[in-house]
Amino acid sequence: MKKIFKFILNTIPRPILIRLSIVVRPILAFLLKGNTFTDPIDGKSFRMFLPYGYGNQRNNVLSPSTLSLERHRLLWLYLQNETDFFTSNTKKKVLHFAPEQEFYKRFKKQTNIDYTTTDLLSPLADVKADICNLPFEDNAYDIIFCNHVLEHIPDDTKAMQELYRVLKPGGMGIFQIPQDLSRATTFSDDTIVDQKERAKIFGQYDHVRVYGRDYFEKLRSIGFKVVEEDYTNKISPELVEKYCLAKGEIIPVCFK
């Protein structure tokens, strides 16, 4: 199964994968029903989660029902337990970059948010836009989600400046990235052009850097106040295992 999923991820373009998953998802959810692991996003349980990874495949990562990964489930739990995102009586403007499938329909249905999605390629995007040159007004959004996007952007400084510009004063942004916490500094090397070599070094062929611990300081240098939320340490070890979370993953919660 690992080889099959690895082949699919590395050969089928992501926009097509998104469309195909709509058909495949209910079949996988039915076949893998069980009680070992639970997806907190929809509350459904399975005997196993699916493997995932462009390079090294990780076991029990991809939820059969929502197709969420560890980071998505962690973010959902944080929003549900630590914020008023789902319960606020005040309508908030939300901007979501490269919207994840497991969130897209759920967020669209929320009556307490004014929800806009944006991306250059995603078929789920309301607005096709370059993150380094956004067509939105200054101080426009109360909440911005931009998760696992910045590692694809050559000029991530400009992208961060644009995120800061369109976030309202007092607003919150969550900007998750694949991060190697064993690295003090972020690594990039544009001379590596072979896709297999890039996937080996950067995690995916289309990533342009590996972020280190200095990621948070870079966000602060743009102007954000950053909370390094180690949320798995606030969850019991039993639930970390049951929800298939990545122990020690940090959620960068940014405020303006």
Side-chain angles (χ1 to χ4, degrees):
M1 184 178 288
K2 282 187 177 182
K3 290 182 178 179
I4 294 172
F5 274 83
K6 185 175 181 179
F7 175 79
I8 291 172
L9 286 172
N10 284 284
T11 56
I12 300 178
R14 188 168 182 79
I16 296 176
L17 277 177
I18 291 173
R19 292 186 173 93
L20 288 175
S21 67
I22 296 171
V23 177
V24 175
R25 185 167 49 190
I27 299 171
L28 291 173
F30 175 77
L31 293 174
L32 295 175
K33 282 193 296 186
N35 298 305
T36 306
F37 302 113
T38 299
D39 185 338
I41 296 175
D42 63 4
K44 294 181 179 178
S45 297
F46 306 93
R47 59 183 173 84
M48 63 175 287
F49 278 7
L50 297 163
Y52 188 85
Y54 284 79
N56 294 325
Q57 293 267 299
R58 309 188 304 281
N59 289 323
N60 293 314
V61 170
L62 190 70
S63 165
S65 56
T66 67
L67 299 184
S68 64
L69 299 172
E70 306 104 319
R71 65 179 184 266
H72 305 131
R73 297 186 289 276
L74 184 65
L75 176 57
W76 180 272
L77 289 166
Y78 177 79
L79 292 174
Q80 185 178 65
N81 298 331
E82 306 297 329
T83 77
D84 64 353
F85 178 76
F86 297 109
T87 59
S88 175
N89 292 323
T90 303
K91 197 162 190 174
K92 297 181 179 180
K93 290 190 67 177
V94 177
L95 181 63
H96 194 168
F97 287 82
E100 299 91 343
Q101 292 182 76
E102 55 272 29
F103 297 146
Y104 177 74
K105 287 185 178 180
R106 290 171 174 83
F107 291 176
K108 275 283 187 184
K109 291 178 181 178
Q110 284 185 227
T111 58
N112 68 330
I113 63 174
D114 179 0
Y115 183 59
T116 301
T117 60
T118 184
D119 191 64
L120 275 177
L121 300 174
S122 174
L124 303 180
D126 299 318
V127 179
K128 294 289 192 288
D130 179 356
I131 192 172
C132 293
N133 186 25
L134 295 173
F136 308 117
E137 294 181 359
D138 296 356
N139 308 315
Y141 292 94
D142 299 285
I143 299 171
I144 299 176
F145 298 121
C146 181
N147 297 321
H148 283 238
V149 172
L150 293 172
E151 69 274 12
H152 297 268
I153 309 301
D155 190 353
D156 65 339
T157 300
K158 179 60 177 173
M160 291 177 185
Q161 290 170 341
E162 281 291 88
L163 292 173
Y164 187 83
R165 179 181 67 78
V166 301
L167 184 66
K168 288 183 181 180
M172 178 185 75
I174 295 182
F175 311 140
Q176 290 172 299
I177 40 85
Q179 186 175 25
D180 182 355
L181 292 172
S182 69
R183 291 179 180 268
T185 57
T186 296
F187 171 76
S188 62
D189 187 344
D190 295 337
T191 66
I192 304 170
V193 294
D194 180 75
Q195 287 196 354
K196 289 184 178 179
E197 188 68 12
R198 293 194 67 82
K200 180 180 177 181
I201 294 173
F202 296 108
Q204 283 183 208
Y205 69 89
D206 55 351
H207 288 184
V208 298
R209 66 184 61 83
V210 180
Y211 283 107
R213 297 191 304 275
D214 59 342
Y215 173 65
F216 309 114
E217 289 307 317
K218 180 160 187 175
L219 288 169
R220 291 183 179 108
S221 74
I222 300 299
F224 291 108
K225 298 176 183 177
V226 182
V227 176
E228 300 171 32
E229 184 65 70
D230 187 358
Y231 197 57
T232 58
N233 277 333
K234 296 183 179 179
I235 302 170
S236 71
E238 293 78 16
L239 287 180
V240 169
E241 182 176 353
K242 189 172 185 62
Y243 294 150
C244 294
L245 305 177
K247 181 68 176 175
E249 180 175 352
I250 306 298
I251 304 175
V253 187
C254 304
F255 299 94
K256 181 175 177 178

